[in-house]
Amino acid sequence: MSMAKRTDPQSSGPHPADGHDLIRVHGARVNNLKDVSIEIPKRRLTVFTGVSGSGKSSLVFNTIAAESQRLINETYSAFVQGFMPTLARPEVDVLDGLTTAIIVDQQRMGADPRSTVGTATDANAMLRILFSRLGEPHIGSPKAFSFNIASVSGAGAVTLERGGQTVKERRSFSITGGMCPRCEGRGAVSDIDLTQLYDDSKSLAEGALTIPGYTTGGWNYRLYSESGFVDPDKPIRKYTKKELRDFLHHEPVRMKIAGINMTYEGLVLRIQKSMLSKDREGMQPHIRAFVDRAVTFTVCPECDGTRLSEGARSSKIKRISIADACAMQISDLAEWVRGLDEPSVAPLLTALQQTLDSFVEIGLGYLSLDRSAGTLSGGEAQRVKMIRHLGSSLTDVTYVFDEPTIGLHPHDIQRMNALLLRLRDKGNTVLVVEHKPETIAIADHVVDLGPGAGTGGGTVCFEGSVDGLRAGGTITGRHFDDRAAVKETVRKPTGKLEIRGATANNLRDVDVDVPLGVLVVVTGVAGSGKSSLVHGSLVNGPGPAGAGVVAVDQGAIRGSRRSNPATYSGLLDPIRKAFAKANGVKPALFSANSEGACPNCNGAGVVYTDLAMMAGVASVCEECEGKRFEASVLEYHLGGRDISEVLAMSVAEAEEFFGAGEARTPAAHTVLKRLADVGLGYLSLGQPLTTLSGGERQRLKLATHMAEKGGVYVLDEPTTGLHLADVEQLLGLLDRLVDSGKSVIVIEHHQAVMAHADWIIDLGPGAGHDGGRIVFEGTPADLVADRSTLTGEHLAAYVGA
């Protein structure tokens, strides 16, 4: 049978729909971008490089991905948009050829104890259904296995209309939840050590309270001594039960103290609200030390940390309860699920199997589903978010990744590269912000931004192939093939920290001596036990090991748009005092969050107008013109500059300004020098913290912690977010710290840092229960010569040995 030949009038030329193979960006001006215009090929892997702060995230996340998300949101009804985050159109002239963007960023997951790896990936939801169908004894619906749902029951009379008459009926209801009633699904209970709050042998009049900020005669102190609930002249240990309850646990009540309206509440409640609800990193050092002393978190004795009620733990499948399943290493749980053959729940088992296999494939098989989401590193959190996209059948989607290799050993980076290429080969556009040469090398197209950071960046320095980048004269091109050499001579240790019998998480009774007075690098594949060893035994360890240790981790900096490098680093205090002294006025006038704030915008510099489901409008305040201060405050000068001009300076400018002349302020100069030392000389002092990149935030934390008195510094992957050129500067900073008499311990995967170390401790050989052992201790040269571990092989390849 012959088919009639179909004629297509357009077959002679290309179809118009095939002419959209580029994402076009023209005139992008978000943050520090300077009228950037580029064309990005679709269905290819494009890597964006450049020094930290050069504008990569501004282009990829705040321009391309943000506009794609905004356009998708606009397809929903106004009613639905009212429940969604409102996004303003980025500052860009033309954005053409966009596809649906799926963003997989480094944002840490919520630190709520009820948020776990299982709840974040839907694996828990599927397990709950599985146990509600197959668990013996049967205890109820999937809710009965959820530690976020409490058991509730009640009864009462209801009134309803029936057949034209009002009828009263008695009704009862009950919901069976899986939440442990003692810890309310948190797995831990907190206790406040009352002996750290007060000295019970003294009375309030004698200064019994020992809490920071509760000095005798201060308002916090007068609230209790003049409340009338207790006798201020009676020692606390002689209080009656009622007096003690009123003193510690009284519910909030309004009262007048010395003619001023104040809210009185029990001391324990007040401490919980004012101190314990705050982010530990954001606390002043003396407050943090008090909280660490006064509050203890212990595993819930009722549920043994599983967060689940007794009923949920009693229902089992093949002698395994849901608590046992969630506590298993995910690679083991995948095998257990594979062994369940139950046709009645076959689709559920298939979906659960695929999710668990994705964990293993992406290199996270060492986690367990009950692991708190807040304890994951930035790299782990990003890979957990990737899981839901791995098996997706969607094509022609734009996947946007923010440094997907963070926290990955060189061995694991190869697996990550394979996943990125697989997403591209399915017909998707993959945009990656990255610094690691191993990932830049697999790109189809490279966009290099720079040449510098902050105001010195924001332009496209190179666009093209990887070979073109190598031959180009950009900073990235020049440093692309840089290889740090292994140290010829290493420093001699001045002592050692002994760790004995470490068993935190997956550690197998580890004994190790950490040398002091040298640069120690702790390495190993992701999940091998590095953080468990260093943080579990050194930073939070009992006795002398934990004393004098300054830890700089990857935890996010908490800060509103009012927070900036000057407020976070403590720099603003000496600056305000210097201004006040020079002009004979109060320091509070020079704070945009206090008396000196512009009354129109309350010191924000911009006025926000909420437009419901439309994007809110932020317009520069007309009164202060964005300077954030009242006009009268700007008449006061120091060294010829007003406070708003000082906050507009870069760190490098300010270091010079406060270093000599009329404005010389040693306290401010010391802080500025630390900021410059960690490579943040280009940041402006008043730049909101919310605009800083991940690498900039960690270096800001490092600069702040350098002021603390400690002999041992513990850094958790300080190369995160650092360009190849910046790594050299970091190594110089680590050397200066060690040469000044400090001991520096670095958890790191970057081969340049390993090669620069005086001593390496390598954990492994694998991840999870395949790790937790010391597989090598010695100098980098010995590790390269030995090549007995995965790290040794990769380091040898890196240095060309």
Side-chain angles (χ1 to χ4, degrees):
M1 180 182 169
S2 65
M3 295 275 292
K5 192 175 180 186
R6 183 167 158 253
T7 57
D8 187 346
Q10 293 182 331
S11 60
S12 55
H15 195 285
D18 295 332
H20 300 279
D21 284 336
L22 295 171
I23 296 174
R24 295 182 183 85
V25 183
H26 290 289
R29 297 178 298 280
V30 174
N31 295 334
N32 67 335
L33 296 179
K34 296 170 182 168
D35 247 353
V36 167
S37 298
I38 58 164
E39 293 185 339
I40 301 164
K42 286 187 186 173
R43 293 177 286 283
R44 297 291 183 271
L45 174 61
T46 301
V47 174
F48 294 79
T49 64
V51 296
S52 182
S54 59
K56 305 181 296 296
S57 296
S58 298
L59 177 60
V60 179
F61 288 90
N62 302 350
T63 305
I64 298 169
E67 179 64 353
S68 172
Q69 287 211 313
R70 187 184 73 84
L71 292 172
I72 290 167
N73 288 1
E74 283 190 354
T75 63
Y76 299 110
S77 68
F79 173 74
V80 173
Q81 285 184 55
F83 295 97
M84 302 174 82
T86 51
L87 303 164
R89 187 181 187 277
E91 274 192 83
V92 58
D93 295 334
V94 179
L95 260 176
D96 194 26
L98 292 177
T99 67
T100 305
I102 293 175
I103 298 173
V104 189
D105 60 16
Q106 286 177 42
Q107 288 298 321
R108 302 293 278 267
M109 294 189 172
D112 189 292
R114 293 205 195 99
S115 178
T116 65
V117 170
T119 58
T121 56
D122 300 336
N124 257 38
M126 290 186 268
L127 268 181
R128 290 199 295 267
I129 299 168
L130 184 68
F131 273 87
S132 72
R133 300 293 185 273
L134 303 181
E136 290 293 335
H138 176 75
I139 61 162
S141 70
K143 288 180 182 177
F145 296 93
S146 169
F147 50 73
N148 287 323
I149 299 174
S151 294
V152 185
S153 61
V158 294
T159 306
L160 53 140
E161 296 286 332
R162 187 185 292 154
Q165 289 183 311
T166 302
V167 181
K168 281 195 173 183
E169 287 186 3
R170 184 171 175 76
R171 296 271 176 93
S172 62
F173 76 96
S174 72
I175 297 169
T176 304
M179 180 189 285
C180 167
R182 171 77 193 275
C183 63
E184 296 183 339
R186 287 184 168 84
V189 287
S190 64
D191 289 315
I192 292 182
D193 183 357
L194 298 180
T195 62
Q196 297 295 333
L197 305 187
Y198 54 79
D199 179 351
D200 68 356
S201 65
K202 293 181 180 176
S203 68
L204 289 175
E206 292 169 330
L209 299 185
T210 55
I211 306 160
Y214 285 69
T215 48
T216 312
W219 282 110
N220 281 334
Y221 210 95
R222 292 179 70 177
L223 184 63
Y224 292 94
S225 60
E226 299 177 26
S227 64
F229 285 114
V230 293
D231 179 353
D233 297 314
K234 186 198 283 189
I236 294 176
R237 65 170 57 153
K238 293 188 176 173
Y239 283 0
T240 64
K241 278 188 181 175
K242 183 181 184 309
E243 281 179 321
L244 198 59
R245 198 201 75 79
D246 287 343
F247 177 54
L248 296 177
H249 302 289
H250 199 288
E251 60 280 355
V253 59
R254 297 289 288 171
M255 62 168 58
K256 274 198 174 182
I257 304 280
I260 293 175
N261 286 323
M262 295 183 77
T263 300
Y264 176 91
E265 58 191 328
L267 188 62
V268 169
L269 295 180
R270 193 172 170 85
I271 295 296
Q272 282 173 335
K273 282 183 188 172
S274 64
M275 294 183 185
L276 304 192
S277 61
K278 288 184 181 171
D279 174 40
R280 187 181 173 278
E281 268 304 319
M283 294 175 182
Q284 293 169 291
H286 68 289
I287 303 281
R288 194 186 310 148
F290 164 74
V291 169
D292 290 345
R293 271 196 326 270
V295 185
T296 53
F297 291 93
T298 51
V299 173
C300 173
E302 210 155 292
C303 66
D304 201 22
T306 63
R307 307 177 173 88
L308 291 158
S309 64
E310 192 178 348
R313 302 195 307 273
S314 67
S315 183
K316 299 188 177 183
I317 302 172
K318 290 190 174 178
R319 298 193 300 282
I320 296 285
S321 71
I322 190 167
D324 300 331
C326 289
M328 277 185 195
Q329 187 166 306
I330 289 174
S331 53
D332 295 340
L333 180 60
E335 288 303 315
W336 180 75
V337 171
R338 202 172 274 118
L340 297 177
D341 183 21
E342 193 63 48
S344 63
V345 289
L348 178 67
L349 287 172
T350 305
L352 179 57
Q353 189 66 60
Q354 283 174 347
T355 301
L356 298 174
D357 286 343
S358 296
F359 270 102
V360 178
E361 184 183 1
I362 209 166
L364 292 177
Y366 61 87
L367 295 177
S368 60
L369 294 182
D370 64 0
R371 169 94 173 257
S372 284
T375 64
L376 298 180
S377 69
E380 285 172 333
Q382 180 164 250
R383 282 177 286 152
V384 164
K385 292 175 197 170
M386 275 182 78
I387 281 164
R388 61 179 68 241
H389 306 303
L390 287 183
S392 172
S393 303
L394 289 172
T395 60
D396 260 331
V397 169
T398 299
Y399 285 98
V400 187
F401 292 97
D402 190 5
E403 293 186 55
T405 58
I406 277 183
L408 288 186
H409 188 271
H411 169 70
D412 300 313
I413 289 176
Q414 296 169 350
R415 292 165 80 173
M416 177 58 72
N417 285 350
L419 289 168
L420 294 173
L421 292 171
R422 202 174 90 193
L423 284 172
R424 177 203 66 185
D425 293 345
K426 281 168 63 178
N428 296 306
T429 306
V430 182
L431 309 181
V432 183
V433 173
E434 189 52 86
H435 292 294
K436 292 273 174 70
E438 299 99 314
T439 300
I440 299 171
I442 65 165
D444 301 308
H445 189 73
V446 179
V447 178
D448 189 25
L449 285 109
T455 52
T459 58
V460 175
C461 300
F462 172 83
E463 220 184 323
S465 67
V466 177
D467 291 333
L469 177 72
R470 275 196 172 97
T474 67
I475 293 179
T476 308
R478 289 200 304 272
H479 289 274
F480 191 78
D481 291 311
D482 277 5
R483 294 292 181 266
V486 171
K487 263 189 181 173
E488 295 295 325
T489 56
V490 294
R491 299 179 183 91
K492 291 280 180 280
T494 56
K496 62 184 180 184
L497 277 177
E498 293 184 1
I499 297 175
R500 294 290 178 266
T503 55
N505 299 328
N506 66 331
L507 295 178
R508 308 276 186 93
D509 206 19
V510 168
D511 294 341
V512 65
D513 291 335
V514 181
L516 293 175
V518 296
L519 176 58
V520 179
V521 169
V522 181
T523 187
V525 295
S528 58
K530 304 180 297 297
S531 296
S532 300
L533 178 68
V534 175
H535 289 285
S537 302
L538 281 182
V539 180
N540 304 317
V549 175
V550 176
V552 186
D553 62 10
Q554 290 183 27
I557 286 178
R558 301 280 173 87
S560 69
R561 53 181 172 239
R562 286 175 175 274
S563 308
N564 53 48
T567 58
Y568 184 82
S569 63
L571 170 66
L572 209 52
D573 286 338
I575 290 178
R576 282 200 298 254
K577 284 173 185 166
F579 264 94
K581 189 177 177 185
N583 294 282
V585 290
K586 289 191 293 186
L589 280 177
F590 302 99
S591 168
N593 297 328
S594 185
E595 289 182 32
C598 163
N600 187 45
C601 62
N602 292 325
V606 287
V607 177
Y608 292 91
T609 311
D610 183 16
L611 297 174
M613 84 284 181
M614 304 293 285
V617 176
S619 50
V620 175
C621 173
E622 291 176 6
E623 277 199 29
C624 67
E625 297 175 346
K627 291 181 178 176
R628 302 171 60 199
F629 291 89
E630 213 175 341
S632 60
V633 174
L634 300 181
E635 290 172 12
Y636 299 117
H637 289 78
L638 176 68
R641 303 284 185 102
D642 65 41
I643 184 71
S644 70
E645 288 171 330
V646 167
L647 289 175
M649 287 180 181
S650 70
V651 167
E653 283 177 78
E655 188 184 358
E656 199 177 314
F657 178 71
F658 288 107
E662 188 196 333
R664 186 171 176 275
T665 312
H669 187 260
T670 307
V671 178
L672 288 161
K673 188 171 184 329
R674 283 199 295 266
L675 290 169
D677 274 351
V678 296
L680 294 177
Y682 60 88
L683 279 190
S684 68
L685 303 185
Q687 185 178 338
L689 285 188
T690 49
T691 63
L692 301 189
S693 69
E696 288 167 336
R697 290 181 189 189
Q698 190 174 15
R699 282 180 287 157
L700 179 59
K701 274 171 81 170
L702 175 56
T704 308
H705 283 293
M706 277 167 66
E708 293 180 21
K709 299 283 183 283
V712 181
Y713 280 81
V714 174
L715 309 182
D716 194 351
E717 294 188 47
T719 59
T720 297
L722 282 192
H723 187 264
L724 297 162
D726 296 326
V727 172
E728 287 180 27
Q729 188 172 0
L730 176 77
L731 294 176
L733 173 67
L734 297 179
D735 276 341
R736 285 200 298 280
L737 280 172
V738 175
D739 293 339
S740 70
K742 309 285 187 190
S743 301
V744 180
I745 300 165
V746 184
I747 300 171
E748 190 53 85
H749 294 291
H750 203 294
Q751 294 102 317
V753 182
M754 290 184 211
H756 199 74
D758 297 309
W759 192 257
I760 288 184
I761 297 172
D762 191 13
L763 280 98
H769 56 46
D770 297 324
R773 299 188 193 89
I774 304 286
V775 290
F776 176 84
E777 286 179 82
T779 64
D782 291 341
L783 180 61
V784 168
D786 204 29
R787 296 193 201 198
S788 58
T789 69
L790 279 171
T791 307
E793 287 172 25
H794 284 279
L795 186 58
Y798 173 82
V799 298

